[in-house]
Amino acid sequence: MAEELRFDGRVAVVTGAGGGLGRAYARLLAARGAQVVVNDPGASLAGEGENRRPADRVVEEITSAGGEGVASYDSVEVGERIVQQALDQFGRIDIVINNAGILRDRTFHKMTLEEWEAVYRVHLFGAFRVTHAAWPHFRSQQYGRVVMTSSSSGIFGNFGQANYAAMKLGQMGLANTLALEGERYNIRVNTIAPYAGSRMTEGLMPPDLFAALAPERVAPLVVFLCHERCPVSGKKYEVGGNWMAELRWERTRGLQFALDQEVTPEAVAGGWEILSDWSDPDVPTSSADAFQVILGGSDGRSSK
Ligand code: NAI
């Protein structure tokens, strides 16, 4: 049997851990020996109100199973307090899972500034605040693991979720750069797009699918991404119902005109088929790599 992946001596902050996915991450990390800050202000799905019960309950579950956890009731908007609590309580911080989330669904033409801003503050600003507060500790100890939470809404779009989709893909953009900046400090930053039955998706799917998508079926991948043996950074995964896959950017080979050619909109229209030809995709893995095709003259096919 494979050796158990342990987290003894590691301290984790899991935001939005009072229920759903965050609770499953916190419990699994604690069961593997991590000391866990269970962060949750106990807000409603829309991000309103406060309730200490959800975070307290998860800490109780962790301690009654023999693990170690502490409740934190701060909003991720004041992320430095959550990180400070990890330091005060457990003396270090090794892992941040940016999981907190709310919804303020509305079609774009009816969306208010407040609805946009509220979703921004929890998902993107909150992920920034918590990670930014942990970052100096990660650098100085030459160790850190971060998981960002994106969504298929951001990757593909979802009707009525312009605010949420933007912030969820924003977390992925943040992770892409943090993975580069963290590389020499052994800080690994990866992103997941989960599919889970939680209060966020309750009523949106039949009960058997809801049960199949238990948060506990997302947690093993997330916990592995938090382990010291995690071999990757800057990667993206879709995960749910015991299924998991890596996601990446691709592009077509492209349409290259000669540089001495005057390119007209009509020429673009004429080359549309080549521009959109996915038969032999190109998979750049860095922005330098992506730019190379232009710098070096295209290996794409030119238009007639
Ligand atoms: P959930 O609603 O059970 O969990 C979100 C938690 O975040 C709640 O416990 C809530 O109290 C907490 N929270 C809200 N505002 C907060 C704040 N300001 N600071 C700290 N915590 C706060 O929903 P679920 O499904 O477990 O969601 C977890 C994450 O996964 C979210 O980021 C969500 O957007 C994302 N997600 C979930 C999907 C799903 O299928 N359930 C799909 C794609 C993404």
Side-chain angles (χ1 to χ4, degrees), residues 16 21 39-41 43 75-76 99-101 149-150 164 168 194 196 198-199 201:
L21 288 162
N39 163 256
D40 208 305
S75 168
V76 285
N99 167 78
T149 308
S150 191
Y164 180 79
K168 288 318 235 180
S198 71
R199 72 174 187 176
T201 50

